[in-house]
Amino acid sequence: MTMQEIILKKRYGKALSNEEIEFFINGVVDKSIPDYQTSALLMAIVLNGMNEEEMTTLTIKMAESGEQNDLSYIDGIPVDKHSTGGVGDKCTPLIMPLVATFGVSTVKLSGRGLGFTGGTVDKFESIEGFNVALPISSFPELISNCNMAISGQTPDLAPADKVLYSLRDVTGTIDSIPLIASSIMSKKLAGGAKGIVLDVTCGSGAFMKTIDEAKALSEAMIKIGKLSGREVVAVITDMNQPLGRNVGNVSEMQEVFEILSGNVIEDVVEVVSVLSANMVMLAGKNDGMNMEELINECKLRLTDGRALEKYKDLILSQGGSLNSNGSPVYVDYPNDCMRVNATEDGYITEIKADIIGKASVKLGAGRQVKTDIIDYGAGIGFFVKVGDYVKRGDCLCALYLGNEHINEDDKLFDAAEMITDAFSYSSEKPEDKPVVIEVLK
């Protein structure tokens, strides 16, 4: 068996055997296969695809390429949630304490933000003292204390994916359902969960731009889950405008606290409740409730104070600081430095989430490269959503900078120009669209 033979086989559209895929992944990890041959096979996969068995074998071998998290200490069925990325996505800090109220334990291994998609770890790190650099050995105690633990992803978890992803990023081989699905699912399998709920975002602020693309990716990951003995639910959600009212690390975490304190922000509450209900159902903790009843119960617990108490437990258990009123102490605070106003009368028909995400990066809320330093106070606060009517000159949003960056006017003017271009107007009110598009199992 040689790598050249494997490349040629896939180039001519033939299915790779389990042994050939294992040979490939082993060579990627031990570096016996040079990058140019790895890249050649990735391109052949992009062009000719993979069948269900190939995708599943690739995923399992990637998951087995490094450390695997043992969640046997969890009482019941361990479940996990993953988002394919979006703008203003503050779901995880809400979901973890919400499902904990049902007795569902969650161990989250999350990444940092890169590009216009925010990172969950960055959001938690915006809380003073919160420790996301946890060894896996500390998870059982945290789960025992509060049913929750969150940490940055260990480099030993699915290391083959790290190599393949870095090559895909620079060789034009990102856009492939088998490669995307195996990348996501390999980390979920290595993470140890038996039930997995996927938030597959769809629209301008997501990787999958159309519903058909989101369905194709969802179905691929569900098939991988079934063939690898995991139960998987995919929830397709709308990302054609930012989720909620804020984009940025501290400002999003402030919105999280507002929701947990009873301020209902409808699109966030809807997405979080559907995702959480499916996690509770997979964990078998639904206490006889059907899905509709469970979603309504999630909406109630999210805003009636029960999830808030669990949220405080999570923050304190990982070293975070709370004010006397129970709100988190943040490492920085958003300063309202500039406003962006409507350029015409009309109904808001679009707020291009990808442009908003890029504008937030321009302000300092995200990273262009991994070494960039984040301004935790930077962000954007919205006063309108799609469907709202505005008059020319009405305020659309506020631009925030952290305390050490409030005089950086160039950032503000550049971001304001981008944000102005993100809004579209019409004399006709747009049709209301659901934020949860479809649930696939």
Side-chain angles (χ1 to χ4, degrees):
M1 188 184 303
T2 68
M3 191 59 192
Q4 185 179 9
E5 291 170 341
I6 295 172
I7 294 167
L8 287 170
K9 188 174 181 181
K10 180 50 67 178
R11 174 188 167 188
Y12 292 114
K14 297 179 181 178
L16 302 180
S17 68
N18 293 352
E19 293 75 19
E20 287 167 331
I21 293 172
E22 183 175 15
F23 175 87
F24 168 58
I25 293 300
N26 289 342
V28 166
V29 175
D30 67 20
K31 302 189 187 311
S32 61
I33 297 173
D35 286 352
Y36 60 83
Q37 286 189 318
T38 299
S39 300
L41 182 58
L42 292 174
M43 183 60 76
I45 292 170
V46 170
L47 296 175
N48 293 313
M50 283 183 141
N51 63 33
E52 292 175 21
E53 186 178 347
E54 285 178 287
M55 275 195 301
T56 303
T57 301
L58 178 63
T59 304
I60 291 171
K61 295 306 175 185
M62 288 165 65
E64 292 175 348
S65 66
E67 192 175 89
Q68 296 192 69
N69 197 12
D70 180 7
L71 299 181
S72 59
Y73 54 84
I74 287 180
D75 179 24
I77 301 169
V79 295
D80 196 2
K81 166 259 176 189
H82 175 82
S83 172
T84 57
V87 178
D89 179 359
K90 67 277 297 176
C91 293
T92 294
L94 292 163
I95 288 171
M96 292 179 70
L98 174 55
V99 300
T101 68
F102 292 87
V104 178
S105 298
T106 52
V107 171
K108 283 294 297 173
L109 297 172
S110 295
R112 298 185 185 280
L114 188 61
F116 66 74
T117 296
T120 299
V121 163
D122 296 319
K123 292 177 176 58
F124 275 103
E125 274 195 328
S126 72
I127 298 173
E128 187 73 52
F130 196 96
N131 180 18
V132 296
L134 299 176
I136 288 176
S137 59
S138 68
F139 290 176
E141 182 180 355
L142 291 168
I143 292 298
S144 175
N145 289 341
C146 67
N147 289 99
M148 295 168 279
I150 182 164
S151 181
Q153 287 176 340
T154 166
D156 297 325
L157 196 77
D161 177 64
K162 185 177 181 181
V163 177
L164 294 179
Y165 191 89
S166 64
L167 284 174
R168 287 168 57 210
D169 195 35
V170 296
T171 58
T173 52
I174 289 286
D175 191 13
S176 162
I177 294 291
L179 295 178
I180 299 168
S182 60
S183 175
I184 292 170
M185 291 297 291
S186 65
K187 292 192 285 286
K188 295 296 105 179
L189 299 190
K194 301 301 180 187
I196 302 165
V197 176
L198 302 165
D199 179 6
V200 183
T201 53
C202 170
S204 64
F207 189 75
M208 313 313 287
K209 302 301 182 187
T210 68
I211 294 175
D212 286 345
E213 289 174 342
K215 282 185 177 180
L217 178 59
S218 299
E219 289 165 356
M221 292 190 288
I222 291 168
K223 288 170 184 174
I224 289 171
K226 286 179 179 177
L227 291 172
S228 57
R230 265 61 165 198
E231 198 165 355
V232 178
V233 175
V235 181
I236 300 176
T237 61
D238 180 72
M239 192 51 72
N240 278 306
Q241 65 174 323
L243 186 66
R245 295 279 179 173
N246 288 277
V247 176
N249 294 287
V250 170
S251 56
E252 286 187 43
M253 292 303 271
Q254 289 175 324
E255 186 173 348
V256 165
F257 188 77
E258 284 180 36
I259 293 169
L260 293 171
S261 300
N263 181 16
V264 175
I265 298 174
E266 291 184 4
D267 57 345
V268 182
V269 169
E270 184 68 22
V271 171
V272 166
S273 298
V274 172
L275 292 169
S276 299
N278 277 282
M279 291 176 70
V280 173
M281 190 69 80
L282 287 184
K285 301 281 189 177
N286 55 307
D287 197 25
M289 286 182 276
N290 62 33
M291 184 55 69
E292 183 179 356
E293 292 168 334
L294 196 50
I295 290 171
N296 289 332
E297 181 67 16
C298 284
K299 290 178 179 178
L300 178 64
R301 295 190 187 197
L302 185 62
T303 55
D304 71 359
R306 280 178 281 182
L308 176 60
E309 291 308 309
K310 289 291 186 180
Y311 183 63
K312 294 176 186 176
D313 290 344
L314 171 61
I315 291 171
L316 293 173
S317 73
Q318 295 195 207
S321 300
L322 297 177
N323 291 304
S324 58
N325 67 354
S327 65
V329 178
Y330 301 104
V331 298
D332 202 348
Y333 286 85
N335 292 281
D336 187 342
C337 296
M338 184 178 284
R339 299 290 177 98
V340 177
N341 299 324
T343 57
E344 56 185 280
D345 297 353
Y347 290 98
I348 304 295
T349 58
E350 189 176 23
I351 308 174
K352 297 185 181 71
D354 54 343
I355 295 177
I356 297 299
K358 291 171 185 175
S360 72
V361 174
K362 176 69 72 174
L363 290 169
R367 300 178 182 86
Q368 295 280 18
V369 296
K370 289 182 181 179
T371 53
D372 284 349
I373 304 299
I374 279 184
D375 173 4
Y376 286 100
I380 306 166
F382 291 90
F383 303 112
V384 297
K385 298 283 282 185
V386 169
D388 290 341
Y389 185 84
V390 296
K391 293 185 177 180
R392 181 174 179 172
D394 285 352
C395 186
L396 301 175
C397 61
L399 308 188
Y400 306 136
L401 295 176
N403 290 326
E404 295 183 7
H405 304 271
I406 55 175
N407 296 318
E408 297 177 358
D409 290 346
D410 288 349
K411 288 182 178 180
L412 294 167
F413 285 111
D414 288 346
E417 186 175 353
M418 295 170 70
I419 291 167
T420 299
D421 291 339
F423 281 81
S424 299
Y425 309 83
S426 172
S427 58
E428 301 289 328
K429 186 172 183 177
E431 181 183 347
D432 289 337
K433 295 181 180 179
V435 65
V436 176
I437 297 169
E438 191 168 351
V439 178
L440 303 176
K441 299 180 182 180

